[in-house]
């Protein structure tokens, strides 16, 4: 079973734009990584986002390139400080699911799934980055990661 996690693309600072929409650079980075992901033949079933504008816009850019079979929708539990244990428990059959969320919750979710400890940082996510995780009967591993830049 494969699950994809995406940190929303670069967005405006709240002081500049309270809605925190994606910047033009953020849109370009997300689209560029989505095009790279096409080469991995990502069998995407659905994209779900937190409902925050920056995550929704990221999901829409990803949808336009990756064309998930079941489209895009909002999912509770993907907010920046939401309970990742509850999110993990509710994943069920997540094969082909892409979740678009925020820090610190996405890094905490990876720590919980891969290391069994939400407090353990397994990797540093980046705006617009895509992480593919594999689940083999509850044994989660990192399959691959795409980052918009190194550093």
């Amino acid at each position: 079973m494969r699950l994809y996690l995406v940190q929303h693309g670069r967005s405006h600072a709240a002081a500049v734009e309270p809605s925190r929409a994606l910047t033009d650079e953020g849109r370009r980075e997300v689209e560029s990584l989505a095009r790279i992901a096409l080469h991995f033949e990502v069998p995407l079933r659905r994209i779900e986002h937190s409902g925050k504008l920056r995550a929704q816009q990221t999901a829409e850019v990803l949808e336009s390139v990756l064309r998930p079979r079941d489209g895009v929708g909002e999912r509770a539990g993907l907010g920046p400080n939401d309970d990742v244990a509850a999110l993990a428990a509710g994943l069920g059959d997540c094969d082909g699911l892409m979740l678009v969320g925020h820090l610190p919750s996405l890094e905490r979710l990876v720590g919980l799934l891969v290391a069994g400890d939400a407090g353990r940082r397994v990797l540093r996510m980046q705006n617009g980055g895509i992480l593919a995780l594999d689940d083999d009967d509850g044994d989660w591993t990192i399959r691959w990661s795409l980052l918009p830049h190194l550093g």
Side-chain angles (χ1 to χ4, degrees), residues 1-5 41-46 69 75 87-99 113-114 131-144:
M1 186 162 47
R2 183 144 317 140
L3 172 67
Y4 304 92
L5 302 179
E41 297 180 11
V42 175
L44 214 52
R45 179 176 45 87
R46 183 163 170 80
R69 182 183 73 220
R75 182 186 190 112
L87 178 60
L91 285 176
D93 177 13
C94 60
D95 196 31
L97 177 63
M98 179 175 275
L99 301 176
L113 294 176
V114 174
L131 176 68
L133 297 171
D134 282 341
D135 175 19
D136 183 22
D137 292 325
D139 183 22
W140 288 91
T141 56
I142 295 173
R143 177 76 173 193
W144 51 260

Side-chain angles (χ1 to χ4, degrees), residues 29-50:
E29 287 176 342
V30 170
E31 184 175 351
S32 175
L33 288 178
R35 292 195 185 291
I36 293 169
L38 280 175
H39 296 289
F40 288 92
E41 297 180 11
V42 175
L44 214 52
R45 179 176 45 87
R46 183 163 170 80
I47 299 174
E48 297 179 342
H49 59 81
S50 69

Side-chain angles (χ1 to χ4, degrees), residues 34-104:
R35 292 195 185 291
I36 293 169
L38 280 175
H39 296 289
F40 288 92
E41 297 180 11
V42 175
L44 214 52
R45 179 176 45 87
R46 183 163 170 80
I47 299 174
E48 297 179 342
H49 59 81
S50 69
K52 293 188 179 293
L53 181 59
R54 57 197 179 274
Q56 178 183 346
Q57 290 175 330
T58 299
E60 289 167 353
V61 171
L62 292 164
E63 177 189 32
S64 72
V65 175
L66 298 174
R67 305 276 185 215
R69 182 183 73 220
D70 296 336
V72 172
E74 189 174 331
R75 182 186 190 112
L78 287 172
N81 296 303
D82 286 348
D83 179 8
V84 296
L87 178 60
L91 285 176
D93 177 13
C94 60
D95 196 31
L97 177 63
M98 179 175 275
L99 301 176
V100 181
H102 311 266
L103 293 182

